[in-house]
Amino acid sequence: SIALAVIFGALWLWLRIVDEINPFPISLAPLILLASILFQVNGSLALFNLAPGFPLDGGRVLRAILWGTSRDLRRATWWATRAGQTLALLLIAWGGWVFYSESNGSAVWYVFIGLFLWNAAGEGYRQTLLLERLRRVSVGELMVRTFATVPPDLSIAEFVEQHVMLRRDQTFAVSEVGGFHGIISIDHIKRLRHAEWTTRRVRDVMTPVTSLQLLTPQQTAAAALARLTSSGAAELPVVEAGQLIGFLGRADVSRFLQLKSGQPRV
């Protein structure tokens, strides 16, 4: 935003100079006005984001400074959150005063921005607490160690009849004597037409192990949640020494957080 403000500010000045010495009967007023608006908007946005209130950029800088002093991330986040909520209250109060004293309807936007900042600050603090809890527990403590396996040469029709219809598992491991080959789930089947169920095999539609994001039991649950989020998968396999030992999914993480803190599901 600062870079854009500088660019549009320089463009605004250049256009004004050109407009004064412009020998052509073409007005540059519309371009000057546009550059001026973009300069002011980006400059205001940069200043607002640098305000020392979490979760704004300035609030994150403040939290980093507090953490560098205390080495306590939770306490640093708490103070930065309080700074953000104080800023939110000031915006709400300012908007209310301007609306009351000047009958200016645009002042309502200050109130809306303040309410948004208040909620964002509280949510940012809660997310920090959740991540702190997840950093203290390993994947091995949360993963599900019992899982179903299917052979890669099984037809999709047999897979549905013998496994999907009889179990509540979301994801099945594809393995045989040679080792772990990949995973298959109901989502894989949805991509097929029903007529293909008898001709296609599990190995044809599964996600191979080379394309999977694998977890290890020593990883923190916070790192695992980041991988779950980036992959978009409901659950990921946990591998140790090249062997599949379990699965960890979003539901498992949410269950842990609900039991430990009573927080809503992530």
Side-chain angles (χ1 to χ4, degrees), residues 52-220:
F54 191 76
L56 299 176
D57 294 335
R60 295 182 184 278
V61 172
L62 173 62
R63 182 177 70 162
I65 295 172
L66 294 173
W67 174 82
T69 303
S70 65
R71 295 296 172 178
D72 187 333
L73 181 62
R74 178 181 297 190
R75 181 175 294 276
T77 305
W78 189 87
W79 282 109
T81 298
R82 290 295 174 265
Q85 291 178 333
T86 301
L87 178 61
L89 291 175
L90 291 174
L91 283 172
I92 293 172
W94 171 258
W97 182 81
V98 171
F99 179 80
Y100 176 78
S101 62
E102 301 180 11
S103 298
N104 188 346
S106 62
V108 175
W109 286 108
Y110 290 103
V111 177
F112 288 150
I113 294 173
L115 291 173
F116 170 79
L117 182 57
W118 176 277
N119 292 329
E123 184 61 27
Y125 181 64
R126 285 189 290 271
Q127 290 295 324
T128 299
L129 294 183
L130 293 181
L131 287 176
E132 280 294 291
R133 287 190 173 95
L134 292 178
R135 289 190 183 101
R136 299 193 191 104
V137 65
S138 68
V139 169
E141 296 176 74
L142 301 186
M143 71 180 188
V144 176
R145 296 179 179 270
T146 57
F147 53 90
T149 61
V150 296
D153 293 324
L154 194 69
S155 71
I156 298 301
E158 293 173 319
F159 170 60
V160 172
E161 181 180 349
Q162 299 174 13
H163 295 275
V164 175
M165 299 300 294
L166 302 180
R167 305 178 66 94
R168 298 180 61 186
D169 299 63
Q170 292 184 349
T171 307
F172 297 81
V174 182
S175 64
E176 54 184 355
V177 179
F180 174 50
H181 296 287
I183 61 172
I184 186 171
S185 65
I186 298 176
D187 290 334
H188 292 82
I189 302 172
K190 291 178 180 178
R191 303 168 192 165
L192 298 175
R193 293 175 299 168
H194 190 271
E196 297 180 280
W197 285 14
T198 56
T199 58
R200 303 294 294 275
R201 302 289 172 180
V202 167
R203 68 166 68 253
D204 299 328
V205 299
M206 72 177 186
T207 300
V209 66
T210 53
S211 301
L212 289 172
Q213 294 197 42
L214 304 177
L215 303 176
T216 64
Q218 293 78 26
Q219 284 180 296
T220 65

Side-chain angles (χ1 to χ4, degrees), residues 1-2 4-5 8 34-49:
S1 296
I2 293 174
L4 289 173
F8 288 117
L34 178 61
S36 175
I37 293 174
L38 292 174
F39 162 67
Q40 295 178 52
V41 167
N42 283 282
S44 301
L45 184 60
L47 291 175
F48 177 74
N49 279 318

Side-chain angles (χ1 to χ4, degrees), residues 223-256:
L225 181 60
R227 284 204 173 182
L228 282 166
T229 303
S230 64
S231 67
E235 53 187 359
L236 291 175
V238 184
V239 177
E240 186 173 35
Q243 298 295 319
L244 178 68
I245 60 174
F247 282 91
L248 180 71
R250 298 170 187 268
D252 305 313
V253 177
S254 292
R255 190 180 305 113
F256 166 77

